[in-house]
Amino acid sequence: MQDEKQFEQLILQYTQLRNGSEDISRIIDNEDYDNAITMIKNREQLFLSCKCIRKYLELTPVQEEELNALLDEIRDLEMKNIKKLEQNMENVKIELKKTQKSQKIQQAYELSSDIKGSILNIQE
C-alpha cells in the first residue's frame, strides 16, 4: 500500500516536471529567458526528489514501464528546449556580427579622413 502511494507521488512529480518543460518551452518561445532560468533552477529539487523516491521504491514491471515512458517524454522535451536555446544563441551571434559590421562602417565614415584612415576592412 505504501509503495502504491509513493508510486502515485512519483507519477505526480514526473507529470509536474513534464508540464514544467512544456511551460519552459513556451517561455523560451516568448523570449522571456529570465523566467525560464528561474523555472529551471526551481525544478532541481523536484528532480532530486524523484531520483530518491525511484531509487528506494520497488516497482512492478508495468510501473517501471510507465515511469520510463514518462521520463523519456521529459527527456525529449528538455532536449527540444536545449536545441531552441542553442538556435536562439546562434541567431543572437549572427545579429551581433551584423550590428558590429554596421557600427564599424558608420564609425569609419563619420570621422574625417584626416583623423582616421579611409581604408575599411569589412572582413571582420
Side-chain angles (χ1 to χ4, degrees):
M1 189 64 169
Q2 182 71 14
D3 281 351
E4 187 63 34
K5 285 184 180 182
Q6 286 182 328
F7 175 73
E8 289 173 11
Q9 177 71 23
L10 190 57
I11 290 289
L12 178 65
Q13 288 180 346
Y14 275 144
T15 303
Q16 288 175 337
L17 288 170
R18 184 192 62 215
N19 293 341
S21 294
E22 292 169 349
D23 291 341
I24 289 170
S25 177
R26 283 190 290 277
I27 290 171
I28 291 170
D29 290 340
N30 293 332
E31 298 180 359
D32 187 3
Y33 303 113
D34 289 336
N35 281 335
I37 289 170
T38 301
M39 283 188 70
I40 290 169
K41 286 181 180 179
N42 290 338
R43 295 170 36 162
E44 185 175 342
Q45 192 62 37
L46 192 56
F47 272 113
L48 291 174
S49 174
C50 289
K51 186 176 180 179
C52 287
I53 292 173
R54 188 159 184 178
K55 185 175 182 178
Y56 295 107
L57 188 62
E58 293 184 24
L59 300 170
T60 66
V62 173
Q63 290 173 332
E64 185 82 29
E65 190 175 317
E66 185 178 349
L67 285 177
N68 287 339
L70 196 51
L71 192 55
D72 288 342
E73 188 177 346
I74 293 168
R75 281 189 192 115
D76 288 342
L77 289 169
E78 291 296 319
M79 285 305 297
K80 287 177 185 177
N81 288 343
I82 290 169
K83 288 180 194 275
K84 277 185 191 180
L85 287 171
E86 287 173 345
Q87 182 60 46
N88 288 347
M89 285 174 46
E90 192 61 36
N91 291 341
V92 167
K93 285 180 186 177
I94 290 168
E95 288 298 317
L96 182 61
K97 281 187 177 184
K98 286 180 187 176
T99 302
Q100 287 173 337
K101 282 183 182 180
S102 175
Q103 186 178 24
K104 188 174 183 179
I105 290 171
Q106 287 176 350
Q107 287 175 348
Y109 290 105
E110 280 180 7
L111 300 174
S112 72
S113 59
D114 295 338
I115 299 173
K116 210 169 191 182
S118 61
I119 298 175
L120 176 66
N121 182 3
I122 61 169
Q123 294 295 332
E124 295 176 2

